[in-house]
Amino acid sequence: MGAWRAVSPGPIAGTPLQWDIEALPEPEPGELLVKVLACGVCRTDLHIAEGDLPAHRPQVVPGHEVVGEVVAVGDSVSGAYAAGDRVGVAWLRHTCGRCPACGRGLENLCRQSRYTGWDADGGYAEFTTVPADYALQLPDGYPDAELAPLPCAGIIGYRALIRAEVPDGGALGIYGFGGSAHLTAQVALARGVRVHVMTRGAQARALAEELGAASVQGVRDTPPEPLDSAILFAPAGDLVPTALEALADGGTLAVAGIHLTDIPRLDYQKHLFRERQVRSVTANTRADSVAFLRFAADHRLRVDTHPYPLDHADRALRDLADGKFSGAAVLEP
């Protein structure tokens, strides 16, 4: 099969990824071997390729927004899956199930958690594997390319919305408007939330307007009303003070990314007093996945996708870094 590996992490303008032909992976006990039908391009993949995130598996195959077809079932897999089934392969790949976090239903905080495309080879390839217990049942009614962003961009945005604690009918600010944000906005709008989008790209602004945002402005502009909640999707720490200043008393800012540049010094009175708070978002639980995918089944989401051939994954990541598209890029073998 053909596969991309992060051989020399560094600036995406260089050649951190290398395409090669290699043997198909063998599913271990409890795993499924899947043929990749589509794989979304996530900003986390860019962080792995550029070395912003430390390598967990040397020369890993990135990619964790996978729609795949089961082609083989490893030992010890129950009868829930069979060859020909369509499944999703997401970021969360393993948790211990025994630690205090897992016991509290917070498996995303398990210290023994492992991740697709970081700890194990992912979907920038023609085939990949997934533990059957972490494979996702995908909703009907979507083509493969539109399903691909849901297992990460959709799910992590859903968890960010929970962490932001936006009240029904309240005002939500979204900073950055890419693959995750445009899905999260639709969930919020379906709940009667007024969504204000702050983003830099003209295409992203146009998409936000089409989806029904109450206002759209530049990334550092002040929204037209105080925000009950905000979500920072852009990996720019210098936007944290900007977002905090836009919050109403008691408002919450959720930071959705796995990587963030340095946050400037905060002024307590200006940014945090009046019970404003900042909350991080760390991966997701399988329960989040089930809840979001159920929502996607009940509400036909508009998934803005931009297709790239699998052997152009390096170009897709460069275009993501340069902000050349709205929505989400999707690799198709």
Side-chain angles (χ1 to χ4, degrees), residues 173-176 198 219-221 223 227 229-248 251-257 259-268 270-273 276-281:
I174 292 180
Y175 289 81
M198 279 62 71
V219 72
R220 298 186 186 281
D221 293 340
L227 304 173
S229 306
I231 303 174
L232 176 60
F233 286 103
D238 61 352
L239 289 177
V240 169
T242 300
L244 286 171
E245 284 186 56
L247 290 178
T252 298
L253 168 64
V255 180
H259 172 76
L260 191 70
T261 57
D262 289 345
I263 299 173
R265 179 177 296 178
L266 299 178
D267 181 299
Y268 179 70
K270 187 177 183 180
H271 299 126
L272 293 172
F273 195 56
R276 300 182 185 94
Q277 60 180 325
V278 183
R279 310 180 81 180
S280 66
V281 180

Side-chain angles (χ1 to χ4, degrees), residues 174-179 181-182 185 189 195-222 239 302 304 306 323-327:
I174 292 180
Y175 289 81
F177 204 72
H182 89 286
L189 288 165
V195 175
H196 300 284
V197 173
M198 279 62 71
T199 192
R200 64 180 182 176
Q203 289 181 322
R205 292 185 193 182
L207 177 59
E209 290 174 349
E210 291 170 13
L211 292 176
S215 74
V216 182
Q217 47 266 310
V219 72
R220 298 186 186 281
D221 293 340
T222 302
L239 289 177
R302 173 176 168 181
D304 189 55
H306 302 270
K324 290 189 175 180
F325 53 77
S326 60

Side-chain angles (χ1 to χ4, degrees), residues 40-41 65 145 149 153 178-180 182-183 303-308 325-330:
V41 176
E65 296 182 343
S180 188
H182 89 286
L183 299 173
V303 188
D304 189 55
T305 61
H306 302 270
Y308 289 78
F325 53 77
S326 60
V330 176

Side-chain angles (χ1 to χ4, degrees), residues 105-187:
L106 298 173
E107 64 180 1
N108 60 310
L109 301 182
C110 175
R111 291 289 183 172
Q112 297 182 54
S113 56
R114 295 197 294 271
Y115 301 96
T116 306
W118 196 16
D119 296 287
D121 290 339
Y124 282 29
E126 293 175 313
F127 292 84
T128 193
T129 62
V130 59
D133 289 345
Y134 291 80
L136 303 181
Q137 301 285 344
L138 297 171
D140 295 327
Y142 294 82
D144 295 335
E146 292 187 14
L147 282 172
L150 303 189
C152 179
I155 293 168
I156 201 66
Y158 183 84
R159 185 165 186 86
L161 191 60
I162 295 171
R163 295 283 289 164
E165 295 184 337
V166 58
D168 290 344
L172 171 69
I174 292 180
Y175 289 81
F177 204 72
S180 188
H182 89 286
L183 299 173
T184 307
Q186 293 177 68
V187 179

Side-chain angles (χ1 to χ4, degrees), residues 54-66:
H56 281 193
R57 178 187 176 98
Q59 301 189 12
V60 72
V61 175
H64 56 273
E65 296 182 343
V66 180

